[in-house]
Amino acid sequence: MYNIFYCNLFKISNKLLDAELNTLPRFIQEQIKEKQNEDDRRRSLAGYMLARRYTAAFCNKKPEEIEFDFGEHGKPFVINGRVHYNISHCQNYVVLAVSEQPIGVDIEIVREFSALLAQKKFTEQEVEYIAAAGREGRSMQQAFYEIWTAKEAYLKFTGAGISGGLNALTLTAQNGRLYPENRAITLTYDQSIPGAVIAVVQNSDN
């Protein structure tokens, strides 16, 4: 079981984000400031804003009481609460997934994709899933990003990040749906944001 929260950066004022920055621990402030791109700084800050508010609510704490740290490959976690969270962002959207168990989330806006990239990064069955979508009148772009986000969400779930490689998760297709070959995990898709694919990965016993 998990909850999804998201925000649109276009609807958050710089004043609010600046105020949020000043409440974060110094090491997180420095991490955000080191990002060279202003949009990346805003996305990162908005992610922490969401994480503090909703992990605090989950733990029945005040937002300022939540303490963050990072795993070996940079996966964030809450030190002082029985809660897990993961953040993803794409363009102007920032998405947060919160759960009692380890979780990974990834968002992508559906747009054109590279067939060459799919051939290089995906298995034959995954590539066939995209092709089948085209033959059946479904969106091939949607199919591509269903696979891509599932793999990214899995890497974030394990904490390996991009170092784990997209082939760490293999997907099988049945009746036009994707399932992890590793049945120890579950893959679900959230439809909260029109025009986007949001994949969530958790342990299968949740």
Side-chain angles (χ1 to χ4, degrees), residues 71-75 86 103-104 153-164:
E72 180 181 358
H73 299 288
K75 184 178 182 179
N86 201 229
I103 192 167
Y154 177 74
L155 292 173
K156 296 172 74 176
F157 162 76
T158 63
I162 59 174
S163 63

Side-chain angles (χ1 to χ4, degrees), residues 6 8 13 30 45-47 64 79 81 109 115 126 131 143 185 189 193:
Y6 69 92
N8 186 329
S13 68
E30 293 303 318
L45 186 47
E64 59 270 22
I79 298 174
I109 303 300
E126 291 163 354
I185 61 171
Y189 292 98
I193 302 175

Side-chain angles (χ1 to χ4, degrees), residues 70-82:
F70 303 91
E72 180 181 358
H73 299 288
K75 184 178 182 179
F77 65 91
V78 173
I79 298 174
N80 59 336
R82 295 176 63 95

Side-chain angles (χ1 to χ4, degrees), residues 34-100:
E34 286 175 0
K35 296 182 181 297
Q36 296 183 356
N37 185 286
E38 175 63 23
D39 287 341
D40 287 342
R41 289 193 289 271
R42 285 171 55 82
R43 292 185 188 103
S44 181
L45 186 47
Y48 281 114
M49 183 176 70
L50 287 178
R52 293 185 83 190
R53 281 161 171 70
Y54 292 110
T55 58
F58 192 97
C59 298
N60 197 27
K61 295 178 180 288
K62 296 178 180 178
E64 59 270 22
E65 295 175 334
I66 294 295
E67 298 178 22
F68 296 114
D69 206 345
F70 303 91
E72 180 181 358
H73 299 288
K75 184 178 182 179
F77 65 91
V78 173
I79 298 174
N80 59 336
R82 295 176 63 95
V83 60
H84 296 263
Y85 78 96
N86 201 229
I87 297 169
S88 181
H89 51 74
C90 184
Q91 296 184 17
N92 56 304
Y93 286 105
V94 179
V95 173
L96 168 77
V98 179
S99 175
E100 294 180 343

Side-chain angles (χ1 to χ4, degrees), residues 1 101 183-186 202-206:
M1 186 69 179
Q101 301 293 333
R183 295 307 172 95
I185 61 171
T186 57
Q202 284 193 284
N203 290 318
S204 60
D205 56 356
N206 290 319

Side-chain angles (χ1 to χ4, degrees), residues 120-180:
K120 183 177 179 180
K121 296 293 186 180
F122 298 166
T123 67
E124 288 186 13
Q125 187 173 11
E126 291 163 354
V127 172
E128 171 56 24
Y129 176 76
I130 299 171
R135 292 194 301 269
E136 296 164 5
R138 296 183 289 115
S139 168
M140 295 176 67
Q141 292 90 343
Q142 176 85 15
F144 174 88
Y145 286 109
E146 286 174 0
I147 297 170
W148 187 274
T149 56
K151 290 173 178 286
E152 291 280 1
Y154 177 74
L155 292 173
K156 296 172 74 176
F157 162 76
T158 63
I162 59 174
S163 63
L166 291 179
N167 61 355
L169 175 68
T170 301
L171 299 165
T172 60
Q174 298 177 18
N175 300 319
R177 292 187 58 188
L178 290 170
Y179 298 88

